[in-house]
Each structure stands twice: as structure tokens, then as C-alpha cells.
Amino acid sequence: AQTVTQSQPEMSVQEAETVTLSCTYDTSESDYYLFWYKQPPSRQMILVIRQEAYKQQNATENRFSVNFQKAAKSFSLKISDSQLGDAAMYFCAYRSTGNQFYFGTGTSLTVIP
Amino acid sequence: NAGVMQNPRHLVRRRGQEARLRCSPMKGHSHVYWYRQLPEEGLKFMVYLQKENIIDESGMPKERFSAEFPKEGPSILRIQQVVRGDSAAYFCASSPSGGVASRLGEKLFFGSGTQLSVL
């Protein structure tokens, strides 16, 4: 079974600074998708960004970008110009060819004013 | 287009009672997933269903838990004889059906969750 590992239970960043959240995964598949979801205190899960495994180019969504290293099975999220509203729990997720989603244990991000 | 609807938002049960959690997927979505989130933990997969079929229930406890997604109506996660350890947030998510080429990129749309508290 695929596993997703987030080794940073908690991270903090100064407002306007940049922070990187780590994620690694284990799989034998060659075709899959990776996602980062954000869960603010409201508990609503919000998609931040997604990456197709067969694409070399790293996905970017405004201040959010990923560093996808397929050989290393690494999928980190970079948040630039951090804002107070970025404070949340962030989950890395893997979607398999079997239509199954696997989530990491999350990283709690604090943004310091 | 309404999002994924879960109800109730909060559910309180005493030990030994039954809990029924409901999830209406987004219109046109035929794939439903249930996840459990314990305090300070990530999302743990429980079950994946399509209409009238359980596709993967490898995350469901062997006893007391069951799930269904009937042809008509919402998906139901049922917990019988609840215990304090069942207290958690239960999230439902849905995704649309589609061809193989597009399917992998489809994201999950999440409901707001049901917080189950067992007294």
C-alpha cells in the first residue's frame, strides 16, 4: 500500500517570509497525482495545489508552489510571502491509479505577525 | 451547485448508542470516501464507495462500523454501540466519475465533517 509521510508536525513562519513543508511518499506506480490540502480551523478541507506525476514541471498556484522530485518520491510545498490566513493544517495526499487517496498526518503551520 | 453536504455537524451519543452520519455528494459525483480524523492526527481512510457498491473498505474496523451508498439518497456511515474511542471528526469526500485519462487529476471535494462525541 502507498504511504505518505509528513515529518514536520509543526512549522512556523514570519509573516511575509517563505516556508517549505515536506512530504515524501512510497509507491511502485508510475502514474499518479499528488495534492496539498489545507485545513483551517473551520475544518473545511481546501485544495491548495496538485501535481501530475508524469509532468516534469513543478505546479504553481500564485504564492504556492511545489518541488516535485519523482525519483526521490518527494513533494514539498513552498509558501511565499506568507499571510496570516495561511495558518492551518496542511495535508499532503497521493492519489493512486486505483482511485484511492492516501493522506499524511499533517503539518500545523503557524504564521507569526 | 451545492458542495458536499454532511449532517449533522455535531453528534453526541452515549456509549452503546448508534451513530448515523450522512453525506450527500456533489451533484453528479458517484464516488464517495469516508475518512476519520482524530485530534492531532491526519485523515485515516475508512471506506470508498460507488453507488450501491463498496469498492474498498480496508480502513473500516471489522466490527460495529458499516457504510452504504444507495442508488437514491445519501451515503450513510453507521457506527453501532459507540465507545469513547469513536469520538472523532468524520469527513466525507466525493469525486466525479470520468474517463481513465481524466480521473487521476480529479480532486476530492470535502464536506465540513461531522464531529462525533461519545459520552
Side-chain angles (χ1 to χ4, degrees), chain B residues 50-104:
Chain B
Q50 293 180 20
K51 288 276 188 184
E52 301 182 280
N53 279 308
I54 296 175
I55 306 303
D56 182 350
E57 57 180 346
S58 58
M60 289 277 272
K62 297 293 182 219
E63 298 176 349
R64 302 187 298 109
F65 285 73
S66 63
E68 62 176 5
F69 188 17
K71 186 177 180 180
E72 301 291 337
S75 176
I76 305 288
L77 178 66
R78 183 183 177 199
I79 311 172
Q80 295 177 293
Q81 299 174 335
V82 296
V83 301
R84 288 215 173 114
D86 297 332
S87 295
Y90 291 83
F91 286 90
C92 169
S94 71
S95 71
S97 58
V100 172
S102 63
R103 188 185 60 193
L104 289 183

Side-chain angles (χ1 to χ4, degrees), chain A residues 31-33 35 37 39 42-45 47 50 91 95-106, chain B residues 9 31 33 35 37 41-43 45 48 56 89 91 95 103-108 110-115:
Chain A
D31 190 16
Y32 49 87
Y33 267 73
F35 303 81
Y37 278 87
Q39 187 182 42
S42 67
R43 243 174 38 190
Q44 181 69 50
M45 294 284 283
L47 177 68
R50 67 183 136 189
F91 292 98
R95 181 168 190 166
S96 71
T97 53
N99 233 7
Q100 185 50 280
F101 283 80
Y102 300 91
F103 286 83
T105 51
Chain B
R9 178 93 167 148
H31 301 238
Y33 301 77
Y35 288 86
Q37 185 177 29
E41 292 189 16
L43 291 166
F45 166 74
Y48 164 36
D56 182 350
F91 286 90
S95 71
R103 188 185 60 193
L104 289 183
E106 293 163 353
K107 66 177 184 179
L108 285 179
F110 280 86
S112 299
T114 293
Q115 181 65 51

Side-chain angles (χ1 to χ4, degrees), chain A residues 38-98:
Chain A
K38 168 185 176 181
Q39 187 182 42
S42 67
R43 243 174 38 190
Q44 181 69 50
M45 294 284 283
I46 303 165
L47 177 68
V48 175
I49 198 165
R50 67 183 136 189
Q51 173 78 42
E52 303 156 71
Y54 65 86
K55 281 192 175 179
Q56 300 255 351
Q57 187 175 5
N58 289 324
T60 298
E61 290 285 343
N62 300 314
R63 297 182 295 106
F64 299 87
S65 61
V66 299
N67 183 5
F68 174 47
Q69 302 289 329
K70 190 171 183 179
K73 297 179 183 175
S74 170
F75 182 59
S76 60
L77 174 70
K78 186 171 84 171
I79 307 174
S80 304
D81 185 25
S82 297
Q83 300 175 359
L84 294 177
D86 295 334
M89 184 75 86
Y90 286 81
F91 292 98
C92 177
Y94 170 103
R95 181 168 190 166
S96 71
T97 53

